[in-house]
Amino acid sequence: MSKIRILSEQLTNKIAAGEVVQRPASLVKELVENSLDAGATAITINIRNGGKTLCEVSDNGEGMSRDDLLLAFERYATSKISTVEDLLNIRTLGFRGEALASIAAVAVVEATSTLPGADSGHTLRIEGGSFRYIQPAAPQPGTTISARNLFYNIPARRKFLKSAEVEYRHVFEVVQKFALSRPLVQFQLIHNEQEVMRLEPQPLPERIAELFSSEYATNLLAVTHGSADLQIRGYIGNLNLVRARRGEQFLFVNQRFVTDRLLNHAIVSAYGSLLSRNEYPFYCLELELDPLAVDVNVHPTKMEVKFREQEQIYQFCQEAVKNSLQGILAVIPDLGIFRPEYYYTPPPPPASGVPVEQLTLTPPAAIITPEKRIRRIASPQKTDDVAPSESTESTSKWQERARRFSGQNLPADSIERHPGAQVFQLHNKYILSQIKSGLVVIDQHVAHERILYEEALESLQHTSWRAQQLLFPVILELTPTDFSVLLEILPFLEKLGFRMKEFGKQTVAIEAVPAGMRWGNEKTIIKEILDYYQEYGTKDTSRQEKVAAAYACKAAIKSGDSLTTEEMQTLVDHLFATQNPYHCPHGRPIIVNLSLKELDKRFERI
Ligand code: ADP
Ligand code: MG
């Protein structure tokens, strides 16, 4: 008896579905691609429960006949190619003829379609890959396809779906990409019966502003480069749209969204020294070229493409972006000046003549004198008013820690430090201090980050920090993705002392910040926390840890901040009172130890 058998079509469809359909967002992607290929100018996406319960896409495209409706759900059934040559010359988004068959294998599917001018349409129903019925339906222009209860017949995969909120975010991002690639198509997105997006046909910059936030409109630079057979068009963001997180980079090749590391590099590298590490510019660009020059059949969900002339395209894109950045490059050679909001600057003292707007951001009560900064940042007041630990107390504590950390690169007895031992600041970046066995060099930013991290974690798990009311609420407009992340972590931010109120669409009013946090850059801190939260950590990192790490990194003093002796003393004392004074939450070292022995060796004393 032979052990090899040909699998049934039902089973092969399920296997194939694994490649095409991973989550509700992939359903939506395939269905909207079909609508666009059918020439639709208006598309409605209706989802429920993040798409887990329902994904339905309706369009006003060319529709399908009864026979086509029946064929469309067969595997490798497509109207888009018919010969091998066609495969090299693809002008549609779909061509593999797999999507509908895959979707039908893993969900309960209903499709209704009407040909233009026909006096009746048809509805087809398939459950878990098995045909149920086809029957006449009232005519309505175009096609509506719904997929319910994704993976209802594969419980193991259904378990891998995330919360409705997370799945919704993925769907939103898919729709956002289509909306960016087709500004002349009307899009509507409905989640749990509520309209969450409605976009009328409009010029691309307007669409970008609607999808992200209104500030985008005034911070875009146009890109147009090339000629008919190879061109790139669209918009890139100036430095006001630079983020600390990836996710706002959109490249379309012949109207298809792709992720291409090489071209991303070409575009980002054109910014050159305008960006520093971990900064990501906004771009929304479309590359248009002869379909023969690009292979789109290299990836199951068609997210990647392969160019025949890789190098040429790389240089072409880089040049295009450089050209449109020229204005910025010429006028502002040094970006430190251009983006003051990215660097902490102490709030100006209130004086008559200060513009009202500035006063609202830095009300007199908020001004923290430089002497007090560290103490106040380092020891947020607890709600139960526990006094911050005194430095003498913490000194003995850190010696105890040192003993516990004797396995580390610092031997326990080597960091014996006397309270009040002298400290020096080096290049506004490092703190030097004498210890019994030599000297330590402390990175001021990561040291403060470690302190804030542990304190934030403590406040998230136990006592909340006290909020400090702002005199005037600060209004912050967010992108839809950031807004939904904010809602997700809001309870944690509240424990830290932030108070926010919803203030219109995707907009919040920040009413209070953690007591002790420096004022004046609430907006930047919140935005950076959202970026950081999404980038930081692995699957095992808890939300609390992520929020604590994000807050700590963003609220900590920066390299470049000058500190008074008292501030440095407080910082060092608090550092040694932490659980792990040697490594910041990402594992970067905080302290470097230079022993007397090492010095003696170098000076050839021994
Ligand atoms: P592909 O898009 O790769 O051809 P699909 O399985 O996604 O494969 O779709 C199969 C066929 O069904 C398409 O080629 C198209 O002819 C038809 N079709 C699917 N969705 C629509 C739609 N919304 N409007 C009109 N025709 C559609
Ligand atoms: Mg398709």
Side-chain angles (χ1 to χ4, degrees):
M1 220 176 79
S2 150
K3 64 176 179 182
I4 300 179
R5 72 195 117 233
I6 308 277
L7 300 176
S8 75
E9 192 181 312
Q10 243 192 354
L11 188 51
T12 51
N13 278 343
K14 265 195 191 176
I15 295 172
E19 284 201 329
V20 179
V21 183
Q22 275 118 30
R23 55 183 358 145
S26 20
L27 291 184
V28 170
K29 172 177 180 289
E30 294 297 338
L31 295 176
V32 174
E33 282 193 352
N34 282 343
S35 296
L36 289 169
D37 282 346
T41 55
I43 299 175
T44 296
I45 301 106
N46 180 7
I47 63 168
R48 222 171 287 151
N49 196 13
K52 294 196 279 188
T53 314
L54 171 72
C55 287
E56 182 184 77
V57 174
S58 313
D59 65 51
N60 62 352
E62 65 188 17
M64 280 178 272
S65 66
R66 183 181 187 276
D67 289 350
D68 279 347
L69 200 51
L70 282 166
L71 267 178
F73 289 86
E74 296 287 325
R75 189 130 175 253
Y76 306 128
T78 181
S79 55
K80 297 169 193 173
I81 55 171
S82 56
T83 66
V84 176
E85 289 77 56
D86 291 345
L87 198 52
L88 301 175
N89 195 6
I90 285 171
R91 290 170 195 275
T92 47
L93 294 169
F95 56 87
R96 297 164 68 112
E98 291 185 308
L100 293 187
S102 298
I103 294 171
V106 293
V108 176
V109 167
E110 231 173 64
T112 300
S113 197
T114 310
L115 287 174
D119 50 15
S120 167
H122 292 91
T123 296
L124 168 77
R125 187 175 169 99
I126 301 178
E127 287 174 20
S130 308
F131 172 82
R132 285 287 175 265
Y133 59 79
I134 185 159
Q135 62 191 32
Q140 61 184 95
T143 305
T144 297
I145 299 182
S146 67
R148 281 168 211 275
N149 302 335
L150 177 61
F151 298 138
Y152 78 101
N153 53 349
I154 316 179
R157 294 203 61 194
R158 189 160 173 97
K159 262 193 257 157
F160 278 97
L161 295 179
K162 297 274 165 42
S163 68
E165 184 62 24
V166 170
E167 295 299 346
Y168 162 68
R169 218 180 291 149
H170 284 285
V171 170
F172 183 90
E173 282 172 8
V174 162
V175 177
Q176 185 180 54
K177 284 170 189 147
F178 285 118
L180 287 171
S181 81
R182 309 287 178 117
L184 296 180
V185 173
Q186 184 200 76
F187 284 93
Q188 185 189 24
L189 174 61
I190 299 168
H191 186 207
N192 294 337
E193 325 276 307
Q194 280 200 318
E195 184 179 82
V196 286
M197 181 198 292
R198 189 190 184 89
L199 299 165
E200 297 303 329
Q202 59 200 153
L204 183 55
E206 278 176 28
R207 186 152 281 194
I208 291 172
E210 272 202 50
L211 282 169
F212 295 91
S213 77
S214 54
E215 66 165 328
Y216 281 61
T218 48
N219 288 296
L220 296 173
L221 304 167
V223 175
T224 39
H225 191 61
S227 53
D229 56 340
L230 175 62
Q231 55 174 306
I232 185 164
R233 289 180 306 252
Y235 291 86
I236 57 172
N238 69 13
L239 299 161
N240 292 325
L241 300 187
V242 167
R243 304 288 308 254
R245 153 177 81 82
R246 279 180 210 90
E248 294 183 358
Q249 292 75 41
F250 304 94
L251 175 67
F252 303 93
V253 175
N254 291 345
Q255 299 204 303
R256 183 191 305 282
F257 175 82
V258 298
T259 50
D260 190 293
R261 283 176 61 184
L262 211 69
L263 291 193
N264 177 62
H265 188 268
I267 295 162
V268 173
S269 68
Y271 282 75
S273 61
L274 295 177
L275 300 176
S276 50
R277 210 160 57 100
N278 301 328
E279 290 191 324
Y280 306 93
F282 172 88
Y283 63 77
C284 177
L285 294 169
E286 189 189 356
L287 185 65
E288 199 181 320
L289 74 174
D290 186 342
L292 290 169
V294 51
D295 190 350
V296 292
N297 189 23
V298 294
H299 191 262
T301 60
K302 301 162 289 185
M303 288 281 281
E304 285 167 23
V305 294
K306 210 168 148 83
F307 297 100
R308 303 267 135 81
E309 304 284 344
Q310 199 93 277
E311 191 112 324
Q312 183 210 344
I313 307 259
Y314 180 95
Q315 281 174 5
F316 176 78
C317 291
Q318 193 180 44
E319 203 178 297
V321 176
K322 268 191 188 160
N323 283 348
S324 79
L325 279 172
Q326 218 144 48
I328 300 189
L329 285 163
V331 184
I332 297 118
D334 180 355
L335 262 274
I337 312 163
F338 189 71
R339 292 168 46 216
E341 75 278 13
Y342 260 68
Y343 302 97
Y344 170 61
T345 37
S352 48
V354 172
V356 177
E357 194 193 334
Q358 269 195 28
L359 276 175
T360 61
L361 288 178
T362 55
I367 291 174
I368 296 161
T369 57
E371 290 74 37
K372 277 179 144 179
R373 213 164 68 226
I374 292 271
R375 182 176 293 282
R376 299 201 59 191
I377 304 169
S379 327
Q381 292 152 286
K382 306 279 161 59
T383 35
D384 56 2
D385 266 332
V386 175
S389 52
E390 286 305 312
S391 49
T392 41
E393 184 195 323
S394 58
T395 307
S396 61
K397 236 197 250 167
W398 64 251
Q399 280 166 352
E400 178 199 310
R401 302 261 194 247
R403 240 165 279 129
R404 248 198 276 155
F405 273 85
S406 55
Q408 305 254 353
N409 51 353
L410 290 182
D413 60 345
S414 70
I415 53 165
E416 235 177 82
R417 178 178 168 270
H418 298 291
Q422 288 215 52
V423 287
F424 306 90
Q425 195 181 22
L426 195 66
H427 293 283
N428 288 345
K429 198 171 182 183
Y430 298 114
I431 299 169
L432 310 190
S433 180
Q434 180 177 325
I435 55 170
K436 193 178 167 201
S437 66
L439 86 106
V440 282
V441 185
I442 296 170
D443 181 321
Q444 65 186 43
H445 167 70
V446 286
H448 196 202
E449 196 179 347
R450 162 56 64 184
I451 297 167
L452 291 182
Y453 174 73
E454 290 192 8
E455 288 179 341
L457 209 52
E458 162 80 18
S459 90
L460 290 173
Q461 285 159 354
H462 307 289
T463 346
S464 301
W465 280 345
R466 178 189 283 171
Q468 186 177 314
Q469 202 74 23
L470 296 172
L471 279 188
F472 301 92
V474 176
I475 307 303
L476 173 62
E477 188 185 347
L478 294 164
T479 67
T481 308
D482 285 341
F483 188 68
S484 107
V485 174
L486 180 72
L487 293 184
E488 182 183 323
I489 64 174
L490 198 57
F492 300 117
L493 292 177
E494 284 179 345
K495 287 206 99 182
L496 288 181
F498 288 101
R499 296 280 179 276
M500 280 171 245
K501 272 223 185 87
E502 207 165 335
F503 191 79
K505 190 185 160 212
Q506 293 161 215
T507 304
V508 288
I510 308 170
E511 295 182 334
V513 297
M517 193 185 97
R518 57 188 183 224
W519 290 26
N521 55 355
E522 299 75 14
K523 277 192 198 186
T524 317
I525 289 207
I526 295 286
K527 278 201 212 167
E528 290 184 342
I529 287 177
L530 293 174
D531 279 347
Y532 194 99
Y533 176 80
Q534 291 170 76
E535 282 275 301
Y536 174 78
T538 60
K539 275 201 185 113
D540 306 327
T541 317
S542 73
R543 282 191 194 177
Q544 292 180 347
E545 284 168 339
K546 284 206 236 173
V547 173
Y551 171 76
C553 179
K554 297 312 168 190
I557 50 163
K558 301 267 183 302
S559 148
D561 287 347
S562 113
L563 303 176
T564 64
T565 308
E566 194 206 338
E567 286 176 326
M568 286 189 276
Q569 292 280 12
T570 317
L571 183 73
V572 174
D573 289 345
H574 279 79
L575 173 66
F576 283 107
T578 61
Q579 302 274 344
N580 180 354
Y582 300 102
H583 293 99
C584 81
H586 329 69
R588 260 165 70 192
I590 298 173
I591 301 173
V592 166
N593 182 23
L594 194 54
S595 67
L596 270 182
K597 219 168 166 187
E598 174 71 23
L599 287 170
D600 287 346
K601 242 196 269 168
R602 292 191 176 232
F603 288 108
E604 298 180 6
R605 282 174 173 273
I606 50 170

